[in-house]
């Protein structure tokens, strides 16, 4: 069986584009730009520059992880990123990050709309995945056939 390859450039671009969409939704919904990077910088004591770096690095990392597991997910190509990010948001944001920053499970200490707001932002984040990350990866064999043709 031929090894599957990740298109790293597309995965990184999808992560950056998705993170920008995530931040734009935060600006529209909450009226603040880079709320998450500011929180990261504040909680670590390393400042906004670190927060921005960490925030975009996380966005890129999630896109690369998705690119690696996308072929294993079920459903049509447009649905797979939403399945992935919904599971990630519930497991890692609602049950880990929110309690870590004092917002409680699913952000309920802040307000009942926190959980839905975070999920909507993450759904917007994965929209570029649909267009940039193809879950039917090319193998070396199919790539060489294309190059020959």
């Amino acid at each position: 069986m031929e090894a599957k390859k990740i298109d790293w450039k597309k995965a990184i671009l999808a992560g950056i584009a998705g993170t920008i969409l995530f931040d734009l939704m935060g600006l529209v919904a909450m009226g603040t730009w880079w709320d998450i990077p500011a929180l990261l910088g504040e909680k670590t004591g390393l400042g906004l520059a670190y927060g921005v770096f960490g925030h975009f690095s996380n966005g890129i990392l999630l896109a690369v992880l998705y690119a690696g597991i996308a072929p294993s997910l079920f459903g049509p190509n447009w649905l797979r990123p939403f399945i992935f990010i919904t599971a990630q948001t519930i497991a890692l944001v609602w049950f880990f990050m929110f309690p870590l920053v004092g917002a409680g499970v699913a952000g309920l200490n802040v307000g009942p709309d926190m959980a839905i707001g975070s999920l909507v932002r993450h759904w917007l984040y994965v929209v570029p995945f649909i267009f940039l990350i193809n879950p039917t990866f090319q193998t070396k064999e199919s790539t060489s056939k294309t190059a020959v043709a």
Side-chain angles (χ1 to χ4, degrees):
M1 179 156 202
E2 197 70 37
K4 296 177 180 174
K5 296 181 75 172
I6 294 173
D7 186 332
W8 288 89
K9 289 179 185 174
K10 287 184 178 180
I12 291 168
L13 184 58
I16 292 169
T19 304
I20 291 168
L21 288 175
F22 179 96
D23 289 334
L24 285 172
M25 182 65 194
L27 178 63
V28 169
M30 299 166 58
T32 58
W33 181 248
W34 281 349
D35 57 333
I36 302 301
L39 180 65
L40 287 171
E42 177 188 329
K43 292 291 183 181
T44 61
L46 298 173
L48 182 61
Y50 170 79
V52 171
F53 176 78
H55 180 55
F56 276 84
S57 295
N58 184 62
I60 292 167
L61 175 63
L62 285 174
V64 169
L65 289 173
Y66 170 75
I69 69 163
S72 301
L73 298 176
F74 61 88
N77 290 348
W78 67 266
L79 183 61
R80 292 175 184 192
F82 293 101
I83 293 168
F84 169 77
I85 207 64
T86 299
Q88 180 273 331
T89 301
I90 292 169
L92 298 178
V93 176
W94 290 7
F95 291 111
F96 180 71
M97 289 305 297
F98 282 165
L100 189 66
V101 298
V105 172
L108 294 176
N109 291 353
V110 175
D113 59 340
M114 187 77 153
I116 299 303
S118 70
L119 193 54
V120 169
R121 286 179 81 172
H122 283 91
W123 284 341
L124 192 57
Y125 159 76
V126 296
V127 168
F129 291 28
I130 298 166
F131 303 102
L132 294 172
I133 300 174
N134 184 354
T136 55
F137 296 92
Q138 292 184 345
T139 62
K140 289 180 186 175
E141 181 181 299
S142 66
T143 305
S144 63
K145 285 180 183 176
T146 306
V148 172

